[in-house]
Amino acid sequence: MSHDPFPFAQDDTRRILDWVEGHVAAGPDPRNGARPAVALEAEMGGAITPDGLGAEAAFALFTDVIQPATRPFGHPTSLSFVAAAPTRAALSFDAALGAAGIFAGNWDGGAGAIHAENQALRWLSDLAGWPSSAGGVFVAGGTLGNLSALHAARHWHRGRTDTNGRGAILCSSEAHSSIAAVARVMDADLIVVPSDPSGRMTATAAAAHVTPETFAFVANGGATNCGAVDDIAGLTDLAEAKGVWVHVDGAYGGAAMADPAMRPAFDGIERAHSLIIDPHKWVFAPYDSCALLYRDAAHGAAAHGQRAVYLDTVDKSEWNPSDYALHLTRRARGLPLWYSLVTHGTKAYAQAIAHTRAIAEDLADRIAAARWLDLLLGPNLTVILFRPKGKTEDEMIRWAEEHRRSGALLCLPTRWRGEMVFRLCIVNPQTDADHVMSVLDTLQ
């Protein structure tokens, strides 16, 4: 009889699954939040020992110490950054996915999972109006998605122009911080175009900054800080004239294409070359998941396909996700989205996304009507920027921290045109506008 070096009783598994069931049903506690490392070490110090603490004690550290010291971005009152709102179906399935232990880097290891992921990617491609040549892969987050897309863009551009220079990426002043990070990693120049008063980059503004070294335009499909959608149609016109790749960073806002009322803001995306959408933001999936899509998937494979003798046995006639981004080993992180889509249907998704927009419009109207608040912008998609009248920056910070710690509302300061402001980003269809306004009333 073989020896099991890691015994784990069925009751130990049941303990974990019971917690999962209860947590999915109850949802996160909005009062949770980060604690200082010194406080955590006082409770967790010495956890890793030669003989182990045992399953029950180890899991108690998770339930009693670790998980309560995390910020619950999935709660309806979490309206800072771009939060999350995973469906209970997606959260539940994520537990099954972890247990399945699927290797989804190539078809041989994960055929069924990859086929399902590709169905979800096809739905997103259809939102963009892309042809059957479109495809891609789910990666860990928007930064990796942007990096992989822009590497493919430079590879494509070099092949068309017979140049091998560093090249330049053109983006808006409201572009996500990852674009500057990607430019540093790629050792490419970064051209930053000032946005208009609403945070939008126009093709007219971009045209004045294009250089012969420019190989890609990055268009915001919902800027993180202000929600703006750039002039995608104009930028694709300009790119076609200049021989430049267009990448749409729709990490937050790309989901809006599912709502027919918001889809016109993305006109022109059908001619873009690549796109990212983070399902863990506004597509109701758990962390971590970024859908990286190419209008012509062959361009992704040309840039990213890896070759080695130990990979010679991989079936190249089927879809191998490792060919489409900067990775090899990967989990099937797109499956929780797929399961929730199959469970609820795309109509439910479109309705939920439209409902969040309605919540944002309602809140913007109420903020504009409140005599103690100044509405500065929005809603751009579902982002609202506002400032309380007569409050200092220190008072704003103290107010935000008080309501974050109480669990009433996660509404943190940001900056807009050099001024400290508050920002709301609605991605959870269960956010209660009445509750949000009752908390904002305390700014009087």
Side-chain angles (χ1 to χ4, degrees):
M1 181 180 292
S2 62
H3 170 65
D4 182 358
F6 304 114
F8 199 76
Q10 187 172 346
D11 284 348
D12 296 328
T13 301
R14 173 49 54 194
R15 181 184 301 110
I16 294 172
L17 295 179
D18 285 347
W19 182 90
V20 170
E21 181 181 12
H23 186 74
V24 170
D29 185 343
R31 296 167 296 181
N32 286 352
R35 298 173 59 198
V38 64
L40 292 172
E41 183 62 16
E43 297 187 52
M44 295 176 59
I48 298 176
T49 66
D51 296 322
L53 301 181
E56 185 172 1
F59 193 59
L61 284 176
F62 172 75
T63 58
D64 300 343
V65 182
I66 297 172
Q67 197 271 338
T70 61
R71 180 171 280 172
F73 286 137
H75 195 272
T77 61
S78 293
L79 306 184
S80 285
F81 311 112
V82 182
T87 65
R88 291 190 298 277
L91 279 177
S92 300
F93 186 82
D94 203 32
L97 176 62
I102 298 169
F103 173 80
N106 59 43
W107 190 261
D108 181 64
I114 293 165
H115 188 75
E117 286 186 307
N118 285 348
Q119 290 181 334
L121 291 169
R122 183 66 253 172
W123 174 62
L124 295 172
S125 296
D126 287 344
L127 297 181
W130 283 0
S132 60
S133 60
V137 61
F138 288 95
V139 297
T143 297
L144 182 56
N146 285 331
L147 173 61
S148 298
L150 290 169
H151 169 67
R154 187 163 66 179
H155 185 274
W156 171 86
H157 188 262
R158 284 172 172 173
R160 288 166 57 92
T161 60
D162 197 29
T163 60
N164 202 39
R166 297 170 64 236
I169 300 165
L170 181 148
C171 68
S172 162
S173 56
E174 289 299 315
H176 190 267
S177 58
S178 64
I179 303 303
V182 164
R184 291 194 300 272
V185 169
M186 293 179 62
D187 191 29
D189 290 328
L190 187 66
I191 301 170
V192 179
V193 178
S195 63
D196 70 13
S198 69
R200 188 171 186 257
M201 177 172 67
T202 65
T204 300
H209 294 80
V210 181
T211 68
E213 291 73 35
T214 305
F215 64 84
F217 298 160
V218 177
N220 281 325
T224 299
N225 200 45
C226 68
V229 178
D230 289 338
D231 175 16
I232 299 174
L235 289 168
T236 51
D237 287 341
L238 179 63
E240 288 170 359
K242 299 290 185 180
V244 172
W245 179 288
V246 176
H247 171 62
V248 179
D249 182 353
Y252 146 59
M257 291 190 292
D259 175 16
M262 287 189 280
R263 178 59 178 81
F266 294 83
D267 283 352
I269 198 170
E270 63 277 1
R271 292 182 287 132
H273 297 81
S274 57
L275 161 70
I276 66 165
I277 299 174
D278 284 359
H280 64 230
K281 289 180 177 168
W282 201 6
V283 202
F284 317 121
Y287 295 113
D288 54 12
S289 181
C290 167
L292 163 62
L293 291 159
Y294 304 95
R295 191 182 74 214
D296 184 345
H299 296 318
H304 290 289
Q306 297 188 34
R307 300 291 181 267
V309 292
Y310 46 82
L311 298 176
D312 286 347
T313 58
V314 173
D315 185 354
K316 295 297 182 182
S317 68
E318 295 287 1
W319 195 270
N320 294 298
S322 61
D323 287 342
Y324 299 97
L326 187 64
H327 61 190
L328 189 60
T329 300
R330 65 179 292 273
R331 70 193 291 267
R333 57 174 44 88
L335 278 187
L337 169 62
W338 171 87
Y339 177 78
S340 188
L341 276 171
V342 171
T343 298
H344 298 297
T346 59
K347 184 185 295 185
Y349 272 70
Q351 291 171 344
I353 289 166
H355 184 60
T356 56
R357 168 68 183 191
I359 294 168
E361 291 174 340
D362 183 23
L363 282 169
D365 289 344
R366 297 196 203 190
I367 289 170
R371 52 181 174 73
W372 63 93
L373 301 173
D374 281 328
L375 177 67
L376 303 177
L377 191 68
N380 273 344
L381 298 184
T382 60
V383 173
I384 300 165
L385 300 181
F386 68 98
R387 198 180 193 288
K389 297 177 181 178
K391 296 289 185 182
T392 66
E393 291 190 358
D394 285 344
E395 288 172 330
M396 291 172 65
I397 292 169
R398 285 196 299 270
W399 178 90
E401 181 64 9
E402 173 190 347
H403 292 285
R404 193 278 295 177
R405 288 193 176 278
S406 73
L409 189 67
L410 183 64
C411 174
L412 304 178
T414 185
R415 289 197 176 273
W416 178 247
R417 303 299 191 241
E419 179 183 32
M420 180 178 283
V421 300
F422 284 125
R423 172 183 172 278
L424 300 175
C425 181
I426 318 299
V427 296
N428 194 320
Q430 296 186 64
T431 294
D432 184 340
D434 290 338
H435 171 78
V436 174
M437 286 307 302
S438 72
V439 180
L440 297 187
D441 283 348
T442 64
L443 284 165
Q444 294 188 68

